[in-house]
Amino acid sequence: MKTVAQQMFRTCNKLFSRKTPNDVVEVHPSNIETAAHMENIQHLTSPSHPPSLRDGAHHVEVVMERAHHGGGWLLSGIICINILILGCALVSGSAFNSVAITAVHRQIFLMVLLLLTMSWMLFYAAVTSRKDQAVLFKDSHAGPVWLRAGLVLFGLLSLLMDIFKIATYVGYLHCDSAVKVAFPVVQAVFLLVQTYFLWIHAKDCVQLHTNFTRCGLTLTLSTNLVVWMAAVTEESIHQTEIPDLNVNITHKMYRASYGDKKCKCSHSACDTFKEAFYYLYPFNIEYSLFASAMAYVMWKNVGRLVEDHSHHSVKFRPKDVCLGPVSGILLVVAGLVTFILYEVYILKEDEDKRNKALLIHFIMNIVIVSLMSLSTVIGCIVYRLDHREHVSEKNPTRSLDVGLLVGASMGQFIISYFTIVAVVATGARGYLNALNLSWAVLTVLQLGLQNYFIIEGLHREPFHMMQEAALHTNAHVFQEHTEMSVIMEANKSSYFLTSSVEKQSWKRRVLKEVCAFLLLANIILWIMPAFGARPQFDHPIEIKFYKFTMWTAIVNIGLPFGIFYRMHSVASLFEVYLIS
């Protein structure tokens, strides 16, 4: 038996020592994680725990499945790309009335995706996750409680949106397709199943059925992204007004997809439900993106070996900060007031009222991004004075956060730079054009500064980790010196540690204040465009310069990413707040 155990150990060692690009990154992402797993193998083969030949063979089979996963990555990636491209084509095609693809066709495709994804989730929860050695490791960084709580909140509001949709389209059953009722029913069930699945299994590093699990997770990822594209398209069409300008419009977009105008609702509450579920679209959009991000992290963690240690819990203490939250709340209140005024005045036929609405909106946004830029500069200065080490371990969650942050900011960058070019090229005449130009320039500056601040914060070691490292150093000193020298060194180290903590306290306080203020400021910058503010169409300078068709494409592509950037910044800033 001992000989068999030694052969198993040598076989596993050879498997783990094979270094392909995928194995280095995914199978054993760090020497610590590999060493931890090898220690587990040694434990299994120790004389005190004699394994059976069947168990040993099963364990080697598991290790081999982790080591050879190139085909699974490739197949799952191909599935994801094909679903996304097909979904994008159907969603884009159903947005125009010159194409023989209707909302019904799009919804049938989405229902198929939702049912397939639910089937895999139920299989994973009932079969894969219950097998022995299926989930040997948990990624402590994946799916934190606050992220899952946000998923549940957005999921509940999305469920309410589906209920309103069902109530609306039931009134059109006598003259419209029943698919429009079936789709929100299926989506509501999908919301419940997926929210439960991600709440329970978001941290899993599954080691069995890895190829099938990867394909299931990319199916989940692509399904949520197609649902996001469909929701963004429908919401953008609902918000896009065709202005009364001398511009050429080659084809007109559908307005809200309620069915033919000849089809009348059978109950009186239809109009109320229509308005209600369109106000809930932003929450459904964010839910799909939250779920996509969590599915991606699970996909990266399939077959991953992580170090078996407890994650350091960080408590959220709002009492630690004061100035940042207070000023942020005041900014949110002021932003809400100006947003309401903008929405009221912009619908007026009077030109002066519309110009006043734009003036209020431009000034408020300039004030917000200016204060955000100033506070971010202060935070960056504190980073320069801070000597915390950068995190060296590989973390799929952090890599995804950084990638999404930079990628999503490109949407707002695109709109801002196109605005700058249009206003400068036309001479920037008039106070509204000058304010629009100032807002665009300051937005570019604010985005760059905030990206740097968040990325730098996510890659810094937490303050409590630095203190624990100092304490471990002191313990090491205790072991190496004599009793008298230990006492002297302990007193000296204690003095320097206390001094160091006191010096760090004001840095921590400043960083927390900055994070709290930026978090609330990003919330108001998410609320205004998410709930209907469209100065890009209400102010005609860009439409006249780029023509309506091109400018509509620019805004309707860039703005959803800009809206997501603000919400993702809120989540990332909360993470930086906890680390600080």
Side-chain angles (χ1 to χ4, degrees):
M1 188 62 67
K2 184 176 180 181
T3 305
V4 173
Q6 290 174 349
Q7 291 176 352
M8 285 171 49
F9 181 78
R10 283 196 296 269
T11 302
C12 294
N13 194 17
K14 290 179 181 178
L15 287 171
F16 277 90
S17 62
R18 294 178 185 177
K19 296 186 177 180
T20 64
N22 288 336
D23 292 337
V24 172
V25 176
E26 297 299 333
V27 177
H28 45 281
S30 68
N31 293 331
I32 295 176
E33 294 168 5
T34 305
H37 186 70
M38 296 303 297
E39 185 178 351
N40 291 336
I41 296 176
Q42 292 179 5
H43 178 69
L44 288 173
T45 59
S46 63
S48 60
H49 300 276
S52 65
L53 187 60
R54 182 179 178 182
D55 292 340
H58 176 69
H59 188 75
V60 173
E61 182 181 355
V62 172
V63 175
M64 291 179 65
E65 187 175 5
R66 291 176 203 144
H68 300 87
H69 55 62
W73 289 110
L74 181 61
L75 179 61
S76 61
I78 291 173
I79 291 173
C80 182
I81 291 172
N82 280 273
I83 293 175
L84 287 177
I85 294 176
L86 178 59
C88 184
L90 287 174
V91 169
S92 301
S94 64
F96 300 97
N97 59 10
S98 59
V99 182
I101 299 176
T102 64
V104 173
H105 298 120
R106 183 190 70 228
Q107 289 172 347
I108 291 174
F109 174 71
L110 289 174
M111 281 195 294
V112 172
L113 289 181
L114 294 176
L115 291 172
L116 288 175
T117 305
M118 280 192 288
S119 300
W120 173 79
M121 288 179 181
L122 294 173
F123 174 84
Y124 180 90
V127 179
T128 302
S129 64
R130 295 179 183 274
K131 287 185 174 293
D132 294 336
Q133 299 188 5
V135 184
L136 297 176
F137 304 96
K138 294 279 189 177
D139 184 359
S140 58
H141 298 282
V145 174
W146 58 268
L147 182 62
R148 286 179 288 163
L151 185 79
V152 171
L153 175 62
F154 289 138
L156 290 174
L157 293 171
S158 299
L159 185 64
L160 185 62
M161 182 197 74
D162 285 326
I163 293 173
F164 288 157
K165 277 189 174 183
I166 295 169
T168 300
Y169 292 123
V170 163
Y172 294 99
L173 276 178
H174 63 283
C175 56
D176 206 347
S177 174
V179 173
K180 293 186 177 181
V181 177
F183 173 68
V185 172
V186 174
Q187 185 170 249
V189 178
F190 174 77
L191 288 170
L192 296 174
V193 174
Q194 180 171 254
T195 303
Y196 170 81
F197 171 80
L198 292 175
W199 182 275
I200 301 298
H201 300 290
K203 296 178 179 291
D204 288 1
C205 298
V206 66
Q207 311 296 331
L208 290 179
H209 301 161
T210 53
N211 290 338
F212 186 62
T213 302
R214 288 189 187 98
C215 293
L217 286 169
T218 52
L219 174 64
T220 305
L221 170 64
S222 53
T223 298
N224 279 283
L225 289 178
V226 174
V227 171
W228 170 75
M229 284 190 286
V232 166
T233 302
E234 192 166 353
E235 210 272 339
S236 297
I237 293 172
H238 179 73
Q239 295 291 346
T240 303
E241 295 286 348
I242 298 178
D244 187 15
L245 297 171
N246 295 322
V247 293
N248 294 323
I249 302 174
T250 57
H251 39 255
K252 183 176 180 179
M253 286 180 149
Y254 275 122
R255 303 297 296 153
S257 177
Y258 307 138
D260 196 349
K261 290 184 178 180
K262 296 179 181 178
C263 183
K264 302 296 182 182
C265 183
S266 61
H267 59 82
S268 59
C270 275
D271 292 335
T272 303
F273 288 135
K274 288 174 187 177
E275 293 299 323
F277 74 68
Y278 268 105
Y279 276 109
L280 293 172
Y281 257 109
F283 302 108
N284 180 243
I285 290 170
E286 296 301 330
Y287 174 86
S288 297
L289 292 173
F290 270 48
S292 299
M294 296 174 75
Y296 175 81
V297 173
M298 286 187 67
W299 178 70
K300 292 290 288 184
N301 281 332
V302 172
R304 181 168 176 250
L305 310 178
V306 296
E307 186 181 0
D308 188 17
H309 60 77
S310 59
H311 183 56
H312 295 273
S313 59
V314 183
K315 294 182 179 180
F316 174 62
R317 297 186 180 91
K319 64 180 181 180
D320 293 344
V321 292
C322 178
L323 181 61
V326 170
S327 55
I329 291 172
L330 292 176
L331 199 65
V332 170
V333 172
L336 287 174
V337 171
T338 58
F339 172 62
I340 293 171
L341 292 175
Y342 170 81
E343 288 291 298
V344 172
Y345 287 156
I346 205 66
L347 298 176
K348 303 292 184 181
E349 297 293 335
D350 187 4
E351 189 69 21
D352 291 336
K353 292 287 187 181
R354 293 176 62 86
N355 289 339
K356 185 177 180 180
L358 289 170
L359 176 66
I360 294 172
H361 189 74
F362 286 154
I363 291 177
M364 188 67 227
N365 278 274
I366 288 172
V367 170
I368 292 174
V369 294
S370 299
L371 292 175
M372 292 175 71
S373 300
L374 179 61
S375 60
T376 307
V377 169
I378 295 172
C380 293
I381 292 173
V382 174
Y383 278 145
R384 299 297 296 175
L385 300 175
D386 188 13
H387 299 293
R388 280 182 295 160
E389 296 292 334
H390 286 78
V391 179
S392 58
E393 68 169 326
K394 294 180 180 179
N395 184 344
T397 304
R398 185 172 56 245
S399 301
L400 177 64
D401 286 340
V402 173
L404 289 177
L405 190 75
V406 176
S409 65
M410 294 298 106
Q412 192 61 55
F413 272 123
I414 289 171
I415 294 176
S416 297
Y417 276 117
F418 271 84
T419 298
I420 291 171
V421 171
V423 176
V424 172
T426 55
R429 290 182 293 270
Y431 65 93
L432 287 179
N433 287 331
L435 290 173
N436 195 14
L437 177 62
S438 301
W439 180 28
V441 172
L442 288 171
T443 298
V444 170
L445 177 64
Q446 189 272 325
L447 289 172
L449 290 172
Q450 181 170 275
N451 283 349
Y452 174 80
F453 177 80
I454 293 175
I455 294 171
E456 186 71 15
L458 290 174
H459 284 84
R460 292 293 181 101
E461 287 281 3
F463 274 103
H464 67 274
M465 292 287 290
M466 301 298 292
Q467 294 177 9
E468 288 179 9
L471 290 173
H472 286 308
T473 302
N474 293 337
H476 185 67
V477 171
F478 266 83
Q479 295 175 359
E480 291 186 349
H481 291 78
T482 61
E483 183 177 357
M484 184 59 69
S485 61
V486 163
I487 295 174
M488 294 175 63
E489 287 293 327
N491 292 333
K492 184 178 179 181
S493 299
S494 178
Y495 170 76
F496 282 116
L497 178 60
T498 305
S499 177
S500 176
V501 171
E502 290 176 353
K503 288 181 180 179
Q504 289 177 353
S505 62
W506 71 270
K507 298 176 186 176
R508 296 183 63 180
R509 179 69 178 270
V510 172
L511 288 176
K512 285 180 178 290
E513 299 281 7
V514 171
C515 289
F517 176 76
L518 290 177
L519 188 150
L520 291 167
N522 276 282
I523 287 177
I524 188 59
L525 289 181
W526 173 78
I527 289 174
M528 289 191 282
F531 288 91
R534 294 292 185 275
Q536 297 87 358
F537 296 117
D538 298 325
H539 187 52
I541 184 68
E542 295 95 343
I543 297 177
K544 291 180 179 178
F545 186 80
Y546 294 110
K547 305 306 178 187
F548 180 77
T549 303
M550 180 179 177
W551 182 240
T552 300
I554 293 169
V555 173
N556 286 338
I557 291 174
L559 192 60
F561 287 99
I563 293 172
F564 170 67
Y565 171 80
R566 294 302 175 184
M567 181 54 67
H568 184 64
S569 296
V570 171
S572 299
L573 285 165
F574 188 74
E575 186 73 21
V576 175
Y577 179 92
L578 295 178
I579 293 173
S580 300

